[in-house]
Amino acid sequence: MRLGVVLVALLLGACGKPQGSQPPPAPGTASGDRPNLVVVVVDDLRWDEFHAGGHPYLETPNIDRLASEGALFVRAFHAVPLCSPNRATLLTGQFPSRHGIIDNLARNLASPHLPTFNVPLQAAGYRTAFVGKWHMGNDPTPRRGFDYWVAMPGQGRATDPELFEDGKLHKVPGYTTDLLTDRAVAFIQREHAQPFLLYLAHKAVHPDIVQRDDGSLDAESDRGYVPAPRHEGRYKDKVFPRREARADIVADLGGKPAIRHALANLPAVRDTGSAEDQHPVARWTDEQTIRRRAEMMLGVDESLGRIMATLDSLGILVQTAIVFSSDNGFFFGEHGLTTERRLPYEESIRNPLLMRYPPRIPAGSRPSGLALTVDLAPTMLELAGVPVGPGIQGRSLVPLFKGTPPDWRQSVLVEFYTNEQPFPHLMDMDYRAVRTERYKYVHWIKFPEDDELYDLESDSLERHNRAADPAMAGVKASLRTDLGRLVLQAVGLERK
């Protein structure tokens, strides 16, 4: 698709549906039949960064409880692996090319007008709360459709954060994960007499750093990963087993010329002093980073435990649907990538999606249908008995609770736009990718000759790009056609 068409489509899509055009609440629905909804979003969490997801030493008994008593989706993905755009996607059920939040620049004017799914829930009688990191712009003031609002400016801080609550911004002493949980618990205790939505967006496990309105980062503010004091040093001697050895990365990058282009523009790359210098590699993600992220996750797991204990003490745990998710993944050195979220490999685009709701979700289930972050909004609305509006592009995941229907989607779209300050080496790395159960095809917008194709059944680590393999020509052609169809649907230009 030509750039001009894409820009027009973005402008059209960003306009979206008027907020006032949401459908009326479902008539005649008894409040006792509607579940409470708790959505927990963790920042930068990898799909395998909890115990039940495969982390070798991180202890997460409460997150694991969701997996054992509910569903762990085994093929869940991010529609865009970047904070601000995916946060908008989670709340609207729309792709970035439709809702218009395409990067981490401040969107203080646009984000208050997003058609977020809490609005029709509130109109249907739900009490609604947002607590935590909004991060679609640095403005922390309340957004429409929330009865209770507590938010941090921009990225927020891991300790002693500024919180906008009760109509003003003020600094609150303490550890941010705990402070947000205090407020989430208090909301549940106060509002549990009627159905409610609690949307808790954690600061963890993001590094503690200030992001300016233009998307640039204030390097002097960088405190890295900050666990709660009670968890400092818990994993100081642990070692994370890598999916790739350093020596493997050179061969890995041999089939990724677009990534080599990006890495060559990094301000600092690792010089191996050997033949491996043919492919510069970003500094290796050190064990300290992985350990401190794990220690931060201990606070998130305790937060979930407190919420579930509160629901249980009020006798409403069984009638509460709990969703646990992330906004994007992270690289631990795979493919030569470290402090990254944005690129189209599994470590970045896979979503740690768990749901617990005993009346509808069998304990220990592992839904295998392709799920995407555009699906959260319609899933919450269907569970609440509220009509899904025409502006929502995702599909409710409720049918997957009983198995994968024959007409379920066979592929999903992942899209990414580069237009921000912090990582200039990625400025040309716009892509669209299609992921099926078996294959992944990546189309680099600025480097169309460097496309990538992986057979994930035989190459789960995505080391062997087969885009130029004659034996895969038919698969490639089919995926390119599918990608074109999905892109048109995302921007709202699909044929009916």
Side-chain angles (χ1 to χ4, degrees), residues 175-198:
Y175 188 64
T176 299
T177 300
D178 298 338
L179 296 173
L180 298 180
T181 307
D182 291 342
R183 286 150 177 79
V185 166
F187 171 80
I188 294 171
Q189 292 172 330
R190 187 170 61 248
E191 302 290 354
H192 71 275
Q194 63 190 96
F196 62 82
L197 163 70
L198 167 64

Side-chain angles (χ1 to χ4, degrees), residues 42-365:
V42 183
D43 202 320
D44 281 6
L45 183 68
R46 286 169 56 116
W47 65 277
D48 57 357
E49 209 168 0
F50 58 102
H51 179 74
H55 197 289
Y57 60 77
L58 175 54
E59 303 151 292
T60 51
N62 296 296
I63 301 172
D64 297 348
R65 182 180 174 187
L66 297 184
S68 64
E69 298 180 1
L72 170 58
F73 288 75
V74 298
R75 292 191 180 94
F77 300 93
H78 299 294
V80 51
L82 183 61
C83 298
S84 295
N86 211 19
R87 289 170 184 273
T89 290
L90 286 163
L91 283 160
T92 63
Q94 298 179 346
F95 285 91
S97 48
R98 178 74 67 90
H99 60 59
I101 308 298
I102 61 170
D103 52 34
N104 279 352
L105 298 183
R107 303 291 176 179
N108 297 326
L109 297 179
S111 72
H113 302 286
L114 292 172
T116 53
F117 74 86
N118 58 290
V119 174
L121 282 176
Q122 185 189 54
Y126 272 71
R127 298 290 290 173
T128 56
F130 181 89
V131 178
K133 182 176 178 179
W134 178 257
H135 194 215
M136 283 168 272
N138 290 330
D139 175 16
T141 57
R143 290 343 190 229
R144 192 165 68 94
F146 289 106
D147 298 299
Y148 178 62
W149 177 270
V150 178
M152 302 177 290
Q155 293 278 4
R157 301 308 299 251
T159 58
D160 303 333
E162 287 187 304
L163 298 179
F164 192 98
E165 57 183 339
D166 300 326
K168 62 182 183 297
L169 186 67
H170 64 125
K171 188 173 183 178
V172 183
Y175 188 64
T176 299
T177 300
D178 298 338
L179 296 173
L180 298 180
T181 307
D182 291 342
R183 286 150 177 79
V185 166
F187 171 80
I188 294 171
Q189 292 172 330
R190 187 170 61 248
E191 302 290 354
H192 71 275
Q194 63 190 96
F196 62 82
L197 163 70
L198 167 64
Y199 196 100
L200 171 59
H202 281 294
K203 161 68 178 176
V205 287
H206 197 282
D208 208 9
I209 192 167
V210 172
Q211 187 167 37
R212 304 183 183 97
D213 278 358
D214 66 358
S216 63
L217 301 175
D218 178 3
E220 294 185 359
S221 70
D222 188 3
R223 294 198 300 154
Y225 295 96
V226 184
R230 62 187 179 276
H231 298 140
E232 284 267 7
R234 171 81 67 87
Y235 298 127
K236 61 183 179 64
D237 298 321
K238 298 294 186 179
V239 175
F240 188 90
R242 308 299 180 129
R243 287 161 58 89
E244 286 185 311
R246 296 192 192 204
D248 295 329
I249 293 176
V250 173
D252 184 325
L253 291 175
K256 296 178 171 64
I259 300 301
R260 295 203 310 270
H261 166 83
L263 292 176
N265 291 319
L266 275 173
V269 298
R270 183 172 63 84
D271 185 344
T272 65
S274 70
E276 296 178 0
D277 290 343
Q278 61 181 307
H279 300 324
V281 176
R283 288 196 179 100
W284 193 251
T285 304
D286 59 25
E287 294 296 336
Q288 179 75 346
T289 293
I290 299 173
R291 291 165 183 158
R292 291 182 71 81
R293 286 172 62 92
E295 290 168 357
M296 285 187 80
M297 277 301 297
L298 295 173
V300 172
D301 188 74
E302 289 179 357
S303 168
L304 178 61
R306 286 183 59 193
I307 290 171
M308 294 180 73
T310 301
L311 295 168
D312 196 24
S313 70
L314 296 169
I316 56 174
L317 178 59
V318 72
Q319 65 195 68
T320 301
I322 302 174
V323 180
F324 185 90
S325 186
S326 171
D327 59 352
N328 50 251
F330 196 78
F331 291 97
F332 285 171
E334 299 91 350
H335 319 295
L337 302 170
T338 56
T339 57
E340 250 320 308
R341 304 112 170 101
R342 299 157 174 79
L343 296 173
Y345 306 110
E346 297 292 275
E347 297 81 11
S348 176
I349 70 169
R350 290 190 67 173
N351 181 18
L353 178 61
L354 302 99
M355 295 187 187
R356 180 190 187 276
Y357 182 44
R360 304 288 295 274
I361 302 176
S365 57

Side-chain angles (χ1 to χ4, degrees), residues 467-491:
D469 184 348
M472 298 290 285
V475 172
K476 179 179 176 180
S478 176
L479 292 172
R480 283 178 63 89
T481 299
D482 202 23
L483 180 60
R485 175 183 61 83
L486 293 172
V487 168
L488 287 176
Q489 288 179 354
V491 298

